[in-house]
Amino acid sequence: MSTKLTQTAIATAILMLAQYAIAQQAGSPDAGSSATTSLEKVQITGSRINLKQAQISGVGPVTVIDAEAIQRSGAISAETLLQRLPASAGGAGNQTSAYWTGNGYGTTQVNLRGLGINRTLVLLNGRRVVNGGTGANSSVDLNMIPVALIERVEVLKDGASAIYGADAVAGVVNIITKNSLKGGEAALRYGETSRGDGDEAALDLAWGLQGAGGSLVTAINYSESGAINMATRAPCGLGEVNGKLECVGSSATIGGRARLANGQRINFNQVPGGNPASFEPYSAAKHNYNSNPMLNAVNPIKRLGLSTFGSFNLSDDSQLFTELLFSHRESSQLATPGSLGVYRPINIAADHPTNPTGQSLVLERRRIEEAGPRTFSQESNIFRVVAGAKGSLGKNWEWSAALNWGRNTGTDGTTNVANLDRVDLTLDRSKCGTTAGAAVPCGNYLGYGSLTPEVLKYILATTRDTGGNDQKGISANINGELFSLPAGAVGFAAGAEVRRESGWRNPDNLTVLGVANTNRQDPIAGKYTAREVYAELSVPLLRRLPLVESLHFNTAARYSDYSLFGSKSTYKAGLDWQVVPSLKLRSNVSSAFRVPNIPELYGGVSEGNLTTTDPCSNWSTLPATSTVAQNCKAAGVPTGFKQLGNTILTTVGGNPGLKPEDAKTITAGAVWSPMKTLTLTLDYYNIKISNAIQSVAGSTKLAVCYNTPGLAHLFCSPSSFTRNKATGEIDFLSSQPVNAADEKISGFDVGALYEFRLAGFTSTLNAELSHLKNYQVRPFPGADAIDYTGKITGGRGSYTQWRSLTSLTMVKGPWSGSYAIQYIGAADDINTAATEIGARAPGLAYHSVQLKYAFSKKLDLAFGIDNLFDKKAPFIKSYTDANTDTMTYDLQGRRWHVRAGYRW
């Protein structure tokens, strides 16, 4: 009894530790997730040196999700596992983000620390993976990796460019696949929400051979998930009206909102079968459109994966190996009917036959409801081939060499896209006809129901875009022990890599020409080559002294040469101090960098008249002592100059002159094992990013330049804008991305792993907590820093200060189960005044439970429930989709899943 009480007390103490900060700000948690983490004592991501010595932790702060935890979670996609981790923040693609990610709808990703998906490096078995999506993409599509193939996931929350190269700014996610199996395995999973929608099904088949000559594992994986309509979770778009939340909807109406020549704003008939010529003063409450029934809270997706992993023993000391992986994805997103008037004004003369007002008008917005919703769809195919050899040299050295080729090709389409040139033709009575069968039917866009099937067929099209990404690389690595010192062996690793990355995207011709009712896009194509060498050392300094069980100095350096950016060097240096067998202190200082991706470099450059304010307009009327007046005069802007109109022709798109971002990372931590069954970790991180890539609006660039004494700001350079010397007008203005921003983020992570026995069950209590201390972004030199700490942003996601994940796993004989709690702390809406509804999202927790029974070694059955208490997402004013932050909170509600596994 005394032992049981002691174990229970320790377990309770760890739970209290994991939830300490939560209690400080929001009380006890009340909702959960199903992924679990582990602090196993294994060789982990963060070093290429394979020292044969036991340590109670790795070289940096790492979370490990093992195969058992993955199976218990019931997840059918890798991003579900990763986005539940406390170290994940900000925005990333997932099924409950309505449109997922730009330039690759349907792509799922991971975003460590919230620093951006392109600052987290994703590896598969320690090697890079080709970007995925529908062309010229900037991150790995996690859809390509079937969950059933994953042996474990290692998440290094530390800068690691010196070890792995570019893009490991926030950390590294290394997904390790299963590579050995004797016999066959089959698993079938099905689940749905408690409301009967959002069904998920997965079938996994794998079989393997093992022998003296080598091994072979082959697998087929298929998964499919259904849609959840947004209106079932959020019936309408909400806004604050007179201190209450009411349905507000979109001002792109189905009848057509127009502005008359006298300035009056009116709306045309919206009643089915009503008088098409009727109109009345526009009223948001009466006429606005409810988009939610035409959107999904969860979008459907299908995945098919084929994979083979094999090895062939050449001798006792060497073998050949290969990894073959193919992934096919089909995904789609429901979208509201398109709206005219967004990308091209529609002017209708007073005497036009369809105009009943007697005045000329501008049709500001007209939603094409008669055509029904649009559908965005994607098909993506990814294959990856790795072939290589590895082996040992003597007792202390290992080597490997590999070829790595990955290629992603994708197609995406959009239905019911209006051809704006054809819309204009249907309004031109000199070119359209009113008789049946006319080549160009005349159209009436005023009033719901006035658009005929003939006009809809003529103006609407399905656009089709194609694109892809390609990665080719060759690498060689060697590691072992150089020599021995009194404190132990000196570990060494070195290697070289040559890699070529390319991406391309070819939008539909209507989109390229700018006649489609959507954003104009140009084709994208670009490539670069990286040549890199690295070396890593682990030097034992002291051993078996008072308060120094061991002391290791770890360092690494990498030299990278990029065909587009020149050379770059990065470093890493750290200390591992084993104070006593139960206590270890560690610290690392490193540099990292991120190379610009293909869209940032080569995104189609185009020009457009954008609303922009010229600060030199009427500058001569300003006080002579003002900085703006002095700068405008010094720049040669004529006296009396006045901006003509409110727009300036602005260049947008990629910028081939971009340089890599730079980062400095400091981590420090402690690992304490007061008993064999208990491990506690505490890690601090501090990351500073300079030369960060940022697009700055034209008005901001001009204002900053002319408010800087002596025109000394970088935005005053000819690469930003130029003026006509004779007229003073701006004849070139760029809002292309530049290396202008800097970011600073810091915080700490707490982890606890406790193994004990309770009521005959072998139990494991696992807790991980992350605290964001500070995150600030300065968009350009001289700007005020934007503080994202504890904020929910309008497009970057949530940066709540507290996140945690706690799980209890229990095993006894054929029975096993787990209970998990994912906590997301309270946060303020960065765009909402403190007095408004939704200004602060409360902290909440998602609970999940899983139960498994093994009938025999061959057959097992598992059942689980996620979001056990059916927690609803909080109202977030900054977001329009489902009235919440779809990148952070759960829209599905309570859901169950069942899984059956069989081995032979």
Side-chain angles (χ1 to χ4, degrees):
M1 179 66 71
S2 176
T3 301
K4 295 288 191 297
L5 288 174
T6 301
Q7 292 171 341
T8 304
I10 294 174
T12 303
I14 295 174
L15 276 173
M16 293 175 65
L17 169 67
Q19 306 296 338
Y20 168 75
I22 299 169
Q24 298 299 308
Q25 63 165 330
S28 59
D30 54 359
S33 159
S34 57
T36 61
T37 61
S38 176
L39 300 175
E40 292 183 84
K41 302 169 187 178
V42 296
Q43 181 66 45
I44 48 168
T45 300
S47 174
R48 294 188 184 271
I49 299 175
N50 186 21
L51 287 176
K52 297 177 177 64
Q53 61 181 30
Q55 297 188 55
I56 61 174
S57 68
V59 297
V62 174
T63 292
V64 179
I65 312 173
D66 62 21
E68 187 66 25
I70 293 170
Q71 185 183 117
R72 286 195 305 269
S73 74
I76 62 173
S77 56
E79 102 279 350
T80 301
L81 299 167
L82 294 168
Q83 291 179 10
R84 290 170 176 170
L85 295 179
S88 294
N94 58 46
Q95 282 182 267
T96 56
S97 179
Y99 298 107
W100 300 4
T101 180
N103 248 19
Y105 287 176
T107 304
T108 59
Q109 304 139 333
V110 58
N111 185 356
L112 292 181
R113 307 297 188 199
L115 290 176
I117 57 174
N118 48 15
R119 291 174 179 157
T120 298
L121 178 61
V122 176
L123 305 175
L124 183 60
N125 295 323
R127 300 178 186 88
R128 287 179 176 261
V129 185
V130 65
N131 290 336
T134 52
N137 304 107
S138 58
S139 66
V140 173
D141 183 4
L142 295 173
N143 284 304
M144 70 172 290
I145 306 168
V147 170
L149 285 181
I150 300 175
E151 178 66 29
R152 66 183 184 276
V153 181
E154 301 171 350
V155 182
L156 172 66
K157 297 163 287 186
D158 195 0
S161 285
I163 305 296
Y164 299 106
D167 307 333
V169 175
V172 178
V173 174
N174 189 10
I175 299 174
I176 310 297
T177 58
K178 300 175 181 177
N179 58 11
S180 62
L181 177 67
K182 191 172 183 178
E185 291 184 353
L188 180 64
R189 180 198 185 278
Y190 180 81
E192 61 183 37
T193 74
S194 57
R195 303 187 186 191
D197 55 8
D199 55 296
E200 294 182 333
L203 174 64
D204 302 300
L205 299 173
W207 56 96
L209 301 171
Q210 283 186 321
S215 64
L216 180 69
V217 177
T218 301
I220 300 175
N221 310 91
Y222 178 79
S223 64
E224 181 174 344
S225 55
I228 297 179
N229 186 265
M230 188 174 291
T232 65
R233 302 303 191 264
C236 63
L238 297 174
E240 184 174 350
V241 179
N242 297 323
K244 297 180 180 179
L245 290 179
E246 296 183 4
C247 295
V248 292
S250 166
S251 61
T253 68
I254 64 174
R257 171 169 55 86
R259 188 177 71 254
L260 299 176
N262 64 5
Q264 183 184 8
R265 184 167 276 124
I266 61 172
N267 201 84
F268 289 90
N269 168 65
Q270 296 198 159
V271 180
N275 179 7
S278 65
F279 60 93
E280 60 187 343
Y282 164 73
S283 166
K286 182 176 182 179
H287 299 121
N288 278 11
Y289 180 78
N290 181 11
S291 302
N292 287 21
M294 297 292 185
L295 296 170
N296 282 333
V298 173
N299 293 295
I301 185 171
K302 299 178 181 179
R303 308 177 185 90
L304 172 65
L306 307 173
S307 56
T308 297
F309 300 89
S311 64
F312 176 73
N313 297 327
L314 296 174
S315 67
D316 291 340
D317 298 325
S318 62
Q319 67 175 197
L320 300 176
F321 65 89
T322 185
E323 300 174 9
L324 306 176
L325 190 147
F326 171 79
S327 174
H328 174 78
R329 167 172 60 87
E330 297 178 12
S331 51
S332 63
Q333 300 82 41
L334 193 65
T336 57
S339 298
L340 298 175
V342 178
Y343 300 99
R344 184 185 296 183
I346 298 178
N347 297 293
I348 300 179
D351 59 354
H352 194 278
T354 65
N355 187 349
T357 67
Q359 299 183 50
S360 60
L361 60 85
V362 177
L363 186 59
E364 294 178 323
R365 295 290 186 273
R366 167 52 154 102
R367 194 176 294 275
I368 312 176
E369 174 78 5
E370 293 91 338
R374 294 168 294 165
T375 300
F376 300 162
S377 62
Q378 305 83 37
E379 280 196 30
S380 174
N381 293 300
I382 302 176
F383 77 81
R384 183 175 186 263
V385 179
V386 175
K390 61 182 179 180
S392 59
L393 298 171
K395 295 182 179 180
N396 298 324
W397 289 89
E398 298 176 345
W399 62 271
S400 66
L403 297 170
N404 183 357
W405 180 25
R407 187 174 178 87
N408 154 241
T409 55
T411 301
D412 62 278
T414 306
T415 63
N416 291 337
V417 177
N419 182 327
L420 299 180
D421 281 355
R422 290 196 170 192
V423 170
D424 291 344
L425 288 174
T426 61
L427 287 168
D428 189 342
R429 288 302 171 116
S430 67
K431 297 178 181 178
C432 67
T434 57
T435 59
V440 180
C442 290
N444 180 2
Y445 296 88
L446 305 181
Y448 174 68
S450 59
L451 283 171
T452 65
E454 293 77 16
V455 171
L456 292 173
K457 182 179 180 180
Y458 179 73
I459 67 171
L460 297 180
T462 296
T463 60
R464 180 183 172 88
D465 312 323
T466 60
N469 307 277
D470 188 273
Q471 181 187 84
K472 296 182 178 73
I474 180 171
S475 61
N477 300 278
I478 188 169
N479 80 86
E481 299 177 2
L482 286 176
F483 50 84
S484 293
L485 294 174
V490 175
F492 174 77
E497 180 180 8
V498 178
R499 187 178 74 257
R500 169 169 285 192
E501 303 269 6
S502 61
W504 64 96
R505 180 171 172 81
N506 299 304
D508 189 273
N509 192 49
L510 292 178
T511 306
V512 174
L513 295 175
V515 300
N517 191 39
T518 185
N519 287 316
R520 181 181 176 275
Q521 299 178 32
D522 287 335
I524 300 173
K527 59 185 177 182
Y528 60 81
T529 300
R531 298 174 176 85
E532 301 179 288
V533 294
Y534 79 93
E536 182 184 1
L537 274 175
S538 177
V539 182
L541 302 178
L542 300 172
R543 182 185 181 189
R544 293 180 181 173
L545 296 174
L547 296 181
V548 184
E549 184 73 16
S550 67
L551 180 64
H552 280 75
F553 172 68
N554 305 304
T555 185
R558 176 179 288 259
Y559 175 82
S560 305
D561 182 71
Y562 280 80
S563 57
L564 295 179
F565 318 114
S567 61
K568 197 79 177 172
S569 297
T570 52
Y571 67 86
K572 181 175 183 178
L575 286 174
D576 277 7
W577 176 16
Q578 196 79 44
V579 183
V580 293
S582 63
L583 177 63
K584 176 181 178 178
L585 304 178
R586 61 191 178 196
S587 63
N588 287 297
V589 178
S590 63
S591 62
F593 69 103
R594 179 183 80 84
V595 296
N597 56 54
I598 299 298
E600 289 171 332
L601 289 166
Y602 300 110
V605 177
S606 60
E607 293 182 329
N609 285 295
L610 304 183
T611 301
T612 309
T613 300
D614 187 342
C616 286
S617 183
N618 296 316
W619 69 267
S620 54
T621 64
L622 299 174
T625 56
S626 75
T627 302
V628 172
Q630 292 175 357
N631 282 335
C632 294
K633 182 178 180 180
V637 180
T639 301
F641 168 77
K642 184 177 181 179
Q643 181 181 359
L644 301 176
N646 64 346
T647 64
I648 293 176
L649 191 64
T650 305
T651 302
V652 297
N655 180 3
L658 291 175
K659 300 298 181 183
E661 299 178 336
D662 295 313
K664 304 291 183 184
T665 301
I666 298 174
T667 59
V671 185
W672 182 37
S673 292
M675 60 183 73
K676 290 183 179 180
T677 58
L678 175 62
T679 300
L680 304 173
T681 63
L682 173 65
D683 288 284
Y684 169 79
Y685 65 91
N686 188 306
I687 305 172
K688 297 180 181 180
I689 303 173
S690 57
N691 299 321
I693 296 170
Q694 182 88 18
S695 294
V696 182
S699 291
T700 302
K701 279 190 171 183
L702 294 173
V704 170
C705 170
Y706 285 101
N707 279 282
T708 302
L711 299 171
H713 201 277
L714 64 87
F715 288 163
C716 299
S717 68
S719 62
S720 290
F721 72 94
T722 59
R723 287 186 182 273
N724 186 295
K725 294 182 179 179
T727 65
E729 292 179 288
I730 294 174
D731 49 25
F732 167 76
L733 176 61
S734 171
S735 65
Q736 297 162 273
V738 293
N739 294 98
D742 64 74
E743 304 183 25
K744 298 179 181 180
I745 188 170
S746 63
F748 63 81
D749 299 322
V750 177
L753 178 65
Y754 179 48
E755 298 170 346
F756 59 99
R757 292 189 64 83
L758 181 64
F761 283 84
T762 300
S763 305
T764 302
L765 186 63
N766 201 325
E768 188 167 345
L769 177 145
S770 183
H771 172 62
L772 175 64
K773 181 181 178 182
N774 178 62
Y775 181 33
Q776 292 187 334
V777 176
R778 195 179 304 277
F780 53 84
D784 293 332
I786 303 172
D787 189 2
Y788 288 128
T789 312
K791 300 292 195 301
I792 296 175
T793 66
R796 298 173 62 115
S798 170
Y799 294 91
T800 175
Q801 290 190 271
W802 297 97
R803 295 174 189 261
S804 71
L805 184 61
T806 304
S807 66
L808 174 64
T809 303
M810 303 180 71
V811 180
K812 182 179 181 181
W815 290 97
S816 63
S818 67
Y819 193 95
I821 304 172
Q822 179 195 12
Y823 179 80
I824 301 171
D828 297 323
D829 189 334
I830 198 171
N831 299 312
T832 304
T835 57
E836 296 182 76
I837 299 177
R840 183 173 178 82
L844 74 153
Y846 296 118
H847 295 242
S848 64
V849 60
Q850 292 84 33
L851 185 65
K852 178 181 175 181
Y853 182 77
F855 294 92
S856 66
K857 291 183 178 180
K858 293 184 176 181
L859 178 64
D860 59 68
L861 184 68
F863 177 78
I865 301 176
D866 293 335
N867 197 348
L868 182 63
F869 299 110
D870 200 22
K871 284 290 182 178
K872 305 298 188 295
F875 172 72
I876 307 295
K877 185 175 182 179
S878 286
Y879 282 79
T880 56
D881 291 335
N883 306 307
T884 194
D885 178 357
T886 56
M887 301 178 189
T888 302
Y889 300 106
D890 178 20
L891 292 178
Q892 300 177 71
R894 184 187 298 113
R895 51 200 180 276
W896 60 268
H897 58 85
V898 61
R899 179 189 180 276
Y902 183 74
R903 288 162 291 281
W904 65 91

